[in-house]
């Protein structure tokens, strides 16, 4: 299934993408794509539905983030061998973990705001995991069963805040709008091989990132297993798993977003995103 959320920010409704690309409203079945509605029992009920029996959404509504009410937005750093090489970093022996602020999550086509005083805002196409049946100390062999689905994430980053202002990476990762997710949450049964998905990102039409999940140092199942050793993973938690080469930081000289750019990105089978990068504006 391809699941999504549509409507005004903060008022999104759940929907299912039908075989013809139409949006079928799920709000009479589940209140939202969030928390326990992403558990395996709930998803099994959704899969059993006849999409034609659901109301067809009319018009072209805003598409929101494909998961709502996220409590934990966990990110993995330097998780692609070729990206580590472009930054001159050593291959990590264990996953590098940091947090993105859950309230930085926006829809896949929403504007992304350049923070005040930013000089090094950067782009990162990433595969994100959404947890379904979570828990602690999940065995790697059971990890895929704990996943509700996968989606595209743009792990927008401010590199000066991240690396030059002291403290942890979180400073440069959780600024408002720095977490576009979607357009769809794609259930694992639709993904033949999650460790062999093409990934790409363009800035103003120029292809800057071309990669594949096959160069991930730590795969999706291992990450779910590993992270669950340190925290309980709950339904609806998001893990964004690292980026392939081609980020602005890796260019010589480095290239960063100043505002006015259009960034487009996608992953095989998971859809595409498109964001206008704009100056910061308080909500």
């Amino acid at each position: 299934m391809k699941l999504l959320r549509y409507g005004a920010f903060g008022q999104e409704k759940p929907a299912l993408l039908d075989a013809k690309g139409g949006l079928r409203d799920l709000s009479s079945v589940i209140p939202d794509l969030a928390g326990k509605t992403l558990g395996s029992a709930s998803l099994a009920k959704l899969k059993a539905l006849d999409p034609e029996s659901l109301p067809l959404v009319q018009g072209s509504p805003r598409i929101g983030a494909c998961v709502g009410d996220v409590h934990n937005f966990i990110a993995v750093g330097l998780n692609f061998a070729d990206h580590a090489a472009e930054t001159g970093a050593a291959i990590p022996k264990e996953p590098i973990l940091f947090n993105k602020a859950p309230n930085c999550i926006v829809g896949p086509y929403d504007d992304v705001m350049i923070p005040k005083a930013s000089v090094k805002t950067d782009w990162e196409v990433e595969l994100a995991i959404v947890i379904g049946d979570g828990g602690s100390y999940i065995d790697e062999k059971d990890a895929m069963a704990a996943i509700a689905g996968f989606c595209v994430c743009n792990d927008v980053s401010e590199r000066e805040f991240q690396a030059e202002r002291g403290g942890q990476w979180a400073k440069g990762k959780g600024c408002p709008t720095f977490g576009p997710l979607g357009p769809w949450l794609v259930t694992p049964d639709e993904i033949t091989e999650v460790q062999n998905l093409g990934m790409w990102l363009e800035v103003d039409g120029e292809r800057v990132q071309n990669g594949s999940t096959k160069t991930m140092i730590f795969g999706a199942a291992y990450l779910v297993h590993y992270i669950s050793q340190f925290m309980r993973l709950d339904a609806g938690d998001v893990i964004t798993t690292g980026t392939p080469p081609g980020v602005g930081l890796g260019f010589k000289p480095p290239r960063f977003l100043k505002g006015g750019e259009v960034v487009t990105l996608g992953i095989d089978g998971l859809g595409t995103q498109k964001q206008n990068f704009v100056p910061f504006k308080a909500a």
Side-chain angles (χ1 to χ4, degrees):
M1 292 181 294
K2 292 182 175 69
L3 303 168
L4 65 153
R5 299 166 71 245
Y6 73 96
F9 186 85
Q11 301 175 41
E12 294 91 347
K13 296 180 179 181
L16 180 153
L17 194 73
D18 69 22
K20 297 179 182 179
L23 274 61
R24 298 286 177 166
D25 186 277
L26 285 170
S27 57
S28 64
V29 184
I30 55 173
D32 198 357
L33 289 168
K36 292 182 179 179
T37 64
L38 294 167
S40 58
S42 176
L43 292 180
K45 291 179 181 178
L46 296 183
K47 189 174 182 180
L49 295 172
D50 175 9
E52 299 290 328
S53 69
L54 300 167
L56 183 64
V57 177
Q58 302 297 322
S60 301
R62 170 188 173 269
I63 304 301
C66 58
V67 58
D69 194 27
V70 175
H71 291 184
N72 286 310
F73 192 3
I74 305 151
V76 184
L78 296 173
N79 193 35
F80 280 67
D82 36 9
H83 172 56
E86 78 170 339
T87 63
I91 298 296
K93 294 181 180 179
E94 295 189 41
I96 297 171
L97 305 181
F98 58 93
N99 290 323
K100 288 177 73 78
N103 63 3
C104 81
I105 293 173
V106 292
Y109 312 118
D110 290 342
D111 290 347
V112 173
M113 298 187 296
I114 305 287
K116 293 181 178 181
S118 168
V119 293
K120 296 183 179 181
T121 294
D122 205 348
W123 57 83
E124 297 189 35
V125 58
E126 302 202 3
L127 170 74
I129 299 165
V130 178
I131 297 298
D133 296 333
S136 297
Y137 305 105
I138 299 169
D139 286 339
E140 187 174 0
K141 65 180 176 58
D142 300 323
M144 292 302 290
I147 295 173
F150 301 96
C151 64
V152 181
C153 175
N154 190 354
D155 177 23
V156 186
S157 308
E158 212 299 345
R159 302 300 188 185
E160 185 191 43
F161 297 178
Q162 175 186 350
E164 301 172 37
R165 299 286 294 273
Q168 300 180 346
W169 288 6
K171 285 183 181 178
K173 294 288 189 171
C175 301
T177 72
F178 268 28
L181 292 180
W184 315 313
L185 175 65
V186 182
T187 51
D189 57 294
E190 292 208 6
I191 305 298
T192 303
E193 178 49 67
V194 72
Q195 299 307 151
N196 191 24
L197 300 177
M199 312 169 69
W200 58 271
L201 184 144
E202 296 177 352
V203 178
D204 290 335
E206 177 189 355
R207 185 67 60 96
V208 290
Q209 284 192 277
N210 253 328
S212 170
T213 57
K214 66 184 177 183
T215 67
M216 286 171 65
I217 299 164
F218 306 105
Y222 182 79
L223 289 172
V224 171
H225 155 72
Y226 180 86
I227 294 169
S228 75
Q229 311 304 302
F230 304 99
M231 66 185 77
R232 188 185 72 224
L233 292 172
D234 292 330
D237 285 352
V238 176
I239 302 168
T240 190
T241 63
T243 195
V247 299
L249 181 65
F251 278 79
K252 300 187 186 308
R255 293 171 53 180
F256 298 110
L257 300 165
K258 305 298 184 183
E261 300 90 351
V262 177
V263 174
T264 311
L265 57 150
I267 299 177
D268 291 350
L270 302 182
T272 63
Q273 299 186 356
K274 183 177 182 179
Q275 294 113 27
N276 294 309
F277 277 68
V278 301
F280 179 84
K281 181 179 180 181

